[in-house]
Amino acid sequence: QVQLVESGGGSVQSGGSLRLSCAASGYTYRPFCMGWFRQAPGKEREGVARIRTGGGITTYADSVKGRFTLSQDKAKNTVYLEMNSLKPEDTAMYYCAATPFPGCSTLVRDFGFWGRGTQVTVSL
């Protein structure tokens, strides 16, 4: 059973930065894809960024391109989401997710393992 534990959320002012971490454990084979999703109050969960863990290929939502960077440390079984130039509209609960299956899509239903989330709040 894959376990994902997020950390690094917090409150910052607009234009600030945060780095989220997601530590994965409990798997026999490395998840094919790991991603970050976010959910703001009253809104659906949406994909932010994802990485194919084998080759390190990353994909980002248009809303965060150029501001967020997803990376991984295979030795630590951890992925990181560096978030810069944060905006109030980035305020949400951020969730780490993983899937052992090829595809690495933006769809919530394609990810079978989820962390509990970490809150990010950006104020004006």
Side-chain angles (χ1 to χ4, degrees):
Q1 182 77 6
V2 177
Q3 294 181 329
L4 305 172
V5 179
E6 305 100 332
S7 61
S11 298
V12 296
Q13 290 188 325
S14 182
S17 299
L18 285 172
R19 188 175 81 154
L20 306 183
S21 300
C22 173
S25 63
Y27 55 83
T28 300
Y29 298 99
R30 185 186 306 277
F32 180 87
C33 179
M34 294 186 68
W36 286 95
F37 290 74
R38 65 186 181 187
Q39 187 167 18
K43 294 188 176 181
E44 292 187 353
R45 193 169 297 189
E46 63 175 358
V48 175
R50 56 202 185 276
I51 184 168
R52 295 174 186 258
T53 60
I57 297 173
T58 54
T59 310
Y60 300 91
D62 288 343
S63 59
V64 305
K65 280 181 182 176
R67 301 188 298 122
F68 290 12
T69 302
L70 179 58
S71 61
Q72 64 176 344
D73 184 331
K74 290 184 178 181
K76 295 182 178 180
N77 299 321
T78 300
V79 295
Y80 304 96
L81 186 66
E82 187 76 35
M83 305 186 296
N84 298 314
S85 302
L86 282 162
K87 305 174 182 180
E89 50 263 46
D90 294 317
T91 295
M93 184 71 80
Y94 282 70
Y95 296 91
C96 179
T99 177
F101 304 115
C104 213
S105 77
T106 60
L107 300 176
V108 171
R109 66 171 183 258
D110 286 346
F111 288 80
F113 302 103
W114 292 85
R116 292 189 173 186
T118 185
Q119 178 67 38
V120 171
T121 303
V122 185
S123 58
L124 288 171

